Amino acid sequence: MFLDGLTQARILSGRTFGDLSARSQPHLEQGAFSRLGNLNELPKTWKTTGIFLAACGLTEQQCAAWKASWTRLKTEAAAHPQPEPGRPTAPAQAPRPRRRWRRPT
């Protein structure tokens, strides 16, 4: 929901990532905003997210509400860590010995 909200904020602002880059204070490159818009997980730091929302035209008060939500979600995520994608949750078993194949003679 948080990530969807970031996308909606940009859409409602009517601005492109390039427009947001030009408006950002301090200046961030367009790629930073593009990466933020394509995340599959909560942003690791608030800095870029806050600059993004301000560039979308949100007020300081609105940005503060977003930051409170981000902080709450980060705290909850730290309390209930999820396994990283592609990583086994159980200890790996010892590998099976390799079979040696011989050519028939």
Side-chain angles (χ1 to χ4, degrees), residues 6 25 36-37 41 44 47 65-66 77 103:
L6 291 175
Q25 292 298 320
L36 184 64
E41 62 185 15
K44 294 189 185 325
K47 182 180 178 182
W66 274 81
R103 265 191 194 156

Side-chain angles (χ1 to χ4, degrees), residues 73-81:
L73 292 169
K74 287 298 273 187
T75 302
E76 289 173 6
H80 306 287

Side-chain angles (χ1 to χ4, degrees), residues 4-16:
D4 292 336
L6 291 175
T7 300
Q8 288 300 312
R10 186 188 65 79
I11 291 169
L12 291 172
S13 76
R15 296 182 173 105
T16 65

Side-chain angles (χ1 to χ4, degrees), residues 9 12 28 48 56 64 69 81 89 92 99 102:
L12 291 172
L28 290 178
T48 302
C56 285
S69 294
T89 55
R99 282 188 158 170
R102 293 188 182 175

Side-chain angles (χ1 to χ4, degrees), residues 19-35:
D19 295 337
L20 296 175
S21 175
R23 291 177 50 88
S24 64
Q25 292 298 320
H27 177 76
L28 290 178
E29 295 298 323
Q30 178 178 340
F33 292 131
S34 180
R35 283 188 297 279

Side-chain angles (χ1 to χ4, degrees), residues 62-84:
Q62 290 169 322
C63 288
W66 274 81
K67 186 174 184 179
S69 294
W70 176 84
T71 302
R72 181 181 50 80
L73 292 169
K74 287 298 273 187
T75 302
E76 289 173 6
H80 306 287
Q82 299 294 318
E84 291 182 34

